[in-house]
């Protein structure tokens, strides 16, 4: 009998707190990059070590996860439980934030990077547990939408993270403080570490299941077949897709401050609202894509497809109003949101179609940004947030489709590829030092080109396995 397309909200809501923190820290890195660049006199390539240290930690964490599981001869999360895995990951991240205190006191770039690396290690364990858990907290039909909704909460964190960190470093926009202070970084990260620990305790005693019954486990009755997740081509190609997707998403934002400073004349302290807009754009797209998770009627769902993105856009405007930033320059961006809405409707909920359409739009936006200047180019680059917004659940669901009992292993391999955020950011920084910051966005064009290819290729692969999207 087909299960109703329900979601266990009482369990899902506590879970999304960790998604919020991933976004808060990841987007805050984009403020740390220009601050560290100025304070430590770094090149653009060297400044991208911030992203590299943070995102490579995901791969190292995934490898450690596989090693520990091999020693235990059992999957680590299955051994300790999902709640314990999330709590342990939060405690590891909390330890990483403690390094910001001695790093700030000694003005050590190496210690700063070490702290971010340890925070990323904890996030790796959290991601390994949280993504399949989000899918499991309800029916499989709405699993992708729950992941998109969790991503929308993630991007609420990315929207306010740069504003809070920028305020901690520079004060209000009306202040005359334009000098980056390493000392002022340590307090917000120590507070963040305390919050990590408190949330770990909260999740430990929440109603989240320790070992949810994953639908794939129940459905997979095969005794023969592939012995490893790596024998599934949709996963192998999907791993590279996750690598370049996270890469273009992160590198577009992490190189945006340098573009605005070097070509548009902005001060570092004035860039935070644009970084907030970029990550807020992901929130806009993910709130749009998450509409199906609420089981609305057809008419209400269509209306929500128009209301949800503008509600998210209003959240962006509200938090920037609270931060005392000038809002009038952002109103025109509401027209860009319409492109997202019509693209989402054109995909008809098919993850492969959505991946293809949004990849083509991403290529177009990057080329527009490379060929123009002023606010047109800035909005072109920030719109990449819109077109990246729903790609994670699209790629994730396509890559693990049909994996059956190998779904958990496949999920870990996909988390490993989050390192693309650091590698591609560093690569774009390297290209920027050679050909200029604006033309360096050609790296992102290459990333979206592969995603467009994957959207076409995976349809054929899954069709051969009898999987109907």
């Amino acid at each position: 009998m087909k299960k109703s397309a329900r979601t266990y909200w009482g369990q899902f809501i506590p879970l999304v707190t960790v998604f919020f923190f991933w976004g808060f820290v990841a987007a805050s890195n984009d403020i740390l990059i220009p601050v560290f660049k100025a304070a430590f006199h770094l090149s653009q390539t060297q400044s991208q070590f911030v992203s590299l240290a943070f995102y490579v930690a995901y791969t190292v964490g995934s490898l450690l996860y596989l090693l520990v599981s091999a020693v235990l001869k059992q999957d680590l999360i299955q051994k300790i439980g999902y709640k314990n895995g999330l709590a342990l990951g939060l405690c590891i991240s909390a330890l990483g934030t403690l390094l910001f205190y001695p790093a700030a006191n000694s003005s050590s770039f190496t210690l700063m990077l070490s702290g971010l690396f340890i925070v990323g290690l904890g996030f790796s364990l959290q991601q390994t547990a949280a993504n399949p858990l989000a899918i499991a907290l309800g029916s499989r039909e709405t699993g992708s939408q729950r992941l998109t909704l969790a991503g929308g909460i993630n991007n609420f964190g990315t929207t306010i993270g740069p504003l809070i960190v920028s305020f901690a470093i520079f004060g209000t926009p009306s202040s005359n403080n334009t000098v980056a202070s390493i000392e002022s970084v340590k307090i917000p990260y120590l507070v963040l570490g305390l919050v990590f620990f408190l949330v770990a305790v909260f999740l430990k005693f929440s109603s989240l299941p320790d070992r949810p019954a994953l639908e794939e486990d129940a459905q997979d009755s095969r005794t023969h077949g592939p012995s490893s997740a790596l024998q599934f081509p949709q996963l192998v190609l999907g791993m590279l897709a996750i690598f370049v997707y996270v890469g273009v998403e992160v590198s577009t934002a992490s190189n945006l401050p340098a573009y605005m400073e070097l070509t548009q004349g902005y001060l570092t302290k004035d860039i935070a609202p644009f970084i907030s807009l970029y990550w807020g754009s992901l929130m806009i797209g993910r709130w749009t894509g998450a509409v199906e998770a609420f089981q609305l009627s057809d008419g209400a769902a269509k209306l929500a497809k128009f209301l949800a993105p503008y509600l998210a856009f209003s959240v962006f405007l509200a938090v920037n109003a609270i931060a005392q930033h000038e809002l009038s320059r952002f109103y025109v961006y509401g027209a860009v949101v319409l492109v997202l809405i019509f693209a989402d409707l054109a995909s008809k909920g098919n993850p492969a179609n959505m991946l293809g359409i949004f990849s083509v739009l991403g290529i177009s936006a990057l080329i527009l940004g490379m060929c123009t200047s002023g606010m047109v180019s800035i909005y072109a680059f920030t719109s990449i947030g819109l077109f990246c917004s729903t790609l994670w659940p699209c790629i994730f669901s396509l890559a693990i489709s049909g994996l059956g009992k190998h779904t958990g292993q496949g999920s870990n391999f996909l988390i490993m590829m989050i390192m693309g955020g650091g590698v591609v950011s560093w690569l774009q920084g390297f290209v920027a030092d050679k050909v200029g910051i604006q033309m360096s966005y050609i790296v992102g064009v290459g990333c979206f080109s592969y995603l467009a290819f994957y959207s076409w290729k995976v349809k054929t692969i899954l069709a051969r396995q009898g999987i109907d999207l």
Side-chain angles (χ1 to χ4, degrees):
M1 181 179 293
K2 185 178 179 179
K3 294 173 64 176
S4 62
R6 63 172 299 183
T7 294
Y8 303 117
W9 295 108
Q11 298 173 344
F12 180 77
I13 291 173
L15 175 65
V16 297
T17 56
V18 295
F19 285 80
F20 171 85
F21 289 126
W22 304 339
F24 185 99
V25 175
S28 298
N29 289 345
D30 297 330
I31 298 300
L32 294 182
I33 287 171
V35 169
F36 289 173
K37 183 180 179 182
F40 297 115
H41 309 291
L42 307 174
S43 67
Q44 185 63 14
T45 305
Q46 292 171 326
S47 71
Q48 295 306 311
F49 286 149
V50 172
S51 292
L52 188 62
F54 180 70
Y55 287 100
V56 165
Y58 280 91
T59 298
V60 174
S62 293
L63 291 173
L64 288 174
Y65 182 93
L66 292 175
L67 178 62
V68 172
S69 296
V71 171
L72 296 175
K73 296 182 179 179
Q74 184 180 355
D75 183 86
L76 176 61
I77 292 296
Q78 290 296 326
K79 176 74 173 179
I80 67 175
Y82 279 78
K83 283 200 293 189
N84 288 333
L86 290 169
L88 177 60
L90 283 162
C91 289
I92 292 172
S93 295
L95 290 176
T97 63
L98 295 179
L99 284 182
F100 277 77
Y101 193 86
N105 288 341
S106 60
S107 295
S108 172
F109 186 47
T110 302
L111 269 181
M112 289 283 187
L113 295 181
S114 299
L116 284 172
F117 179 83
I118 295 173
V119 171
L121 281 181
F123 282 5
S124 175
L125 181 57
Q126 295 168 44
Q127 289 252 21
T128 300
N131 281 284
L133 187 56
I135 294 174
L137 294 180
S139 67
R140 182 65 184 177
E141 290 98 325
T142 53
S144 176
Q145 285 76 26
R146 274 192 300 280
L147 208 53
T148 301
L149 179 58
I153 303 300
N154 171 280
N155 288 120
F156 178 64
T158 62
T159 302
I160 68 173
L163 301 177
I164 292 176
V165 172
S166 179
F167 174 79
I169 296 174
F170 298 108
T172 63
S174 59
S175 69
N176 295 320
N177 181 18
T178 61
V179 179
S181 172
I182 297 300
E183 282 284 322
S184 60
V185 171
K186 61 185 179 184
I187 298 303
Y189 277 85
L190 288 177
V191 172
L192 185 63
L194 175 61
V195 175
F196 282 161
F197 176 75
L198 293 176
V199 172
V201 175
F202 167 68
L203 290 179
K204 174 64 179 175
F205 294 100
S206 73
S207 61
L208 278 173
D210 264 329
R211 293 172 178 81
L214 298 178
E215 204 161 310
E216 293 90 345
D217 297 338
Q219 291 176 346
D220 189 21
S221 59
R222 294 172 295 182
T223 57
H224 301 289
S227 58
S228 168
L230 293 176
Q231 292 178 266
F232 292 87
Q234 65 265 38
L235 175 69
V236 175
L237 294 177
M239 289 169 64
L240 181 55
I242 288 288
F243 182 93
V244 299
Y245 150 69
V246 179
V248 68
E249 178 184 277
V250 173
S251 65
T252 301
S254 62
N255 285 281
L256 186 59
Y259 171 72
M260 295 180 66
E261 290 173 343
L262 296 175
T263 69
Q264 309 301 309
Y266 280 80
L267 296 175
T268 301
K269 76 183 188 71
D270 297 324
I271 293 173
F274 293 94
I275 298 298
S276 175
L277 176 61
Y278 178 85
W279 292 106
S281 294
L282 278 103
M283 178 175 66
I284 292 168
R286 286 173 176 168
W287 284 24
T288 306
V291 166
E292 287 87 351
F294 294 96
Q295 305 160 43
L296 302 174
S297 64
D298 289 344
K302 289 180 181 179
L303 178 61
K305 285 287 186 181
F306 282 88
L307 294 181
Y310 286 106
L311 176 61
F313 187 46
S314 298
V315 170
F316 159 77
L317 293 175
V319 297
N320 276 272
I322 294 171
Q324 301 178 29
H325 292 126
E326 172 59 43
L327 300 182
S328 59
R329 56 191 170 181
F330 298 121
Y331 294 149
V332 69
Y333 198 73
V336 184
V337 175
L338 283 174
V339 178
L340 165 81
I341 295 172
F342 288 117
D344 180 79
L345 292 173
S347 71
K348 297 180 180 179
N350 184 302
N353 290 344
M354 182 173 290
L355 180 58
I357 293 170
F358 280 41
S359 296
V360 171
L361 289 172
I363 292 171
S364 303
L366 286 176
I367 292 175
L368 177 62
M370 292 166 61
C371 297
T372 58
S373 61
M375 291 305 299
V376 173
S377 65
I378 292 174
Y379 283 153
F381 289 141
T382 53
S383 71
I384 297 303
L386 292 174
F387 306 134
C388 282
S389 59
T390 59
L391 299 193
W392 171 272
C394 287
I395 299 168
F396 203 92
S397 60
L398 290 168
I400 65 173
S401 291
L403 267 60
K405 64 183 179 182
H406 301 294
T407 298
Q409 184 186 54
S411 174
N412 186 60
F413 284 135
L414 291 172
I415 299 302
M416 190 183 300
M417 291 296 104
I418 292 177
M419 70 176 292
V423 175
V424 176
S425 294
W426 174 86
L427 176 62
Q428 185 174 347
F430 177 80
V431 173
D433 285 336
K434 301 296 182 182
V435 302
I437 188 67
Q438 189 166 14
M439 289 299 103
S440 71
Y441 280 94
I442 191 67
V443 173
V445 173
C447 292
F448 275 121
S449 297
Y450 176 78
L451 293 176
F453 162 77
Y454 180 68
S455 71
W456 166 76
K457 184 66 176 177
V458 74
K459 290 182 182 179
T460 304
I461 293 172
L462 296 179
R464 289 174 180 169
Q465 298 176 17
I467 298 172
D468 184 6
L469 296 177

